[in-house]
């Protein structure tokens, strides 16, 4: 079965860094389009970054230049390196996967909490 497990979250002060991991099983990350989403309390889930099968990366403007999405090819793991963290980055981060020929994300990680204090 397809499964995504998120980890690596924690509490940091503004300006700090975290690296989130998304371990995939049941499929190869390289064959799917992957993404990270954030959901803050009382807010809609928002898209953070994507890694496409051609290794192109896309970022929401508020995260671009600070966050980096990458994959570990042979370990089927997706990463989100988060630098220069801001309090507004706080939220539950979920990785997600979709077939690249589809527009909807079919699989979701359980989420890992990121809390950034001022």
């Amino acid at each position: 079965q397809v499964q995504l497990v998120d980890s690596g979250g924690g509490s940091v002060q503004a300006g700090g860094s975290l690296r989130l991991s998304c371990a995939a099983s049941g499929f190869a990350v390289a064959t799917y389009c992957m993404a990270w989403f954030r959901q803050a309390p009382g807010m809609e889930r928002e898209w953070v970054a994507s890694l496409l099968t051609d290794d192109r990366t896309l970022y929401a403007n508020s995260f671009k230049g600070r966050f980096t999405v990458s994959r570990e090819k042979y370990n089927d793991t997706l990463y989100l390196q988060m630098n220069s963290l801001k309090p507004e980055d706080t939220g539950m981060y979920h990785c997600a996967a979709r077939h690249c020929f589809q527009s909807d994300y079919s699989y979701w990680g359980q989420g890992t909490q990121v809390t950034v204090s001022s």
Side-chain angles (χ1 to χ4, degrees):
Q1 61 178 1
V2 174
Q3 186 175 47
L4 301 176
V5 179
D6 301 322
S7 63
S11 298
V12 298
Q13 293 195 140
S17 298
L18 285 172
R19 190 178 77 159
L20 307 185
S21 298
C22 170
S25 61
F27 70 100
V29 167
T31 66
Y32 281 70
C33 287
M34 308 293 297
W36 288 96
F37 291 82
R38 178 181 71 100
Q39 187 165 23
M43 298 183 65
E44 295 271 332
R45 183 175 59 211
E46 66 174 342
W47 170 74
V48 174
S50 291
L51 179 64
L52 308 180
T53 53
D54 60 0
D55 286 330
R56 292 176 60 191
T57 57
L58 299 171
Y59 301 91
N61 287 336
S62 59
F63 306 109
K64 191 171 185 178
R66 299 187 298 118
F67 289 12
T68 303
V69 63
S70 62
R71 66 182 177 92
E72 190 70 54
K73 181 178 179 179
Y74 298 105
N75 290 331
D76 284 330
T77 303
L78 184 76
Y79 299 100
L80 183 67
Q81 179 66 47
M82 304 186 295
N83 297 325
S84 301
L85 283 162
K86 304 174 181 178
E88 49 264 46
D89 296 328
T90 293
M92 183 71 72
Y93 285 75
H94 300 260
C95 67
R98 63 176 173 87
H99 292 100
C100 294
F101 55 84
Q102 297 178 322
S103 60
D104 60 312
Y105 287 87
S106 300
Y107 310 106
W108 294 84
Q110 86 287 353
T112 185
Q113 179 67 34
V114 171
T115 302
V116 185
S117 60
S118 59

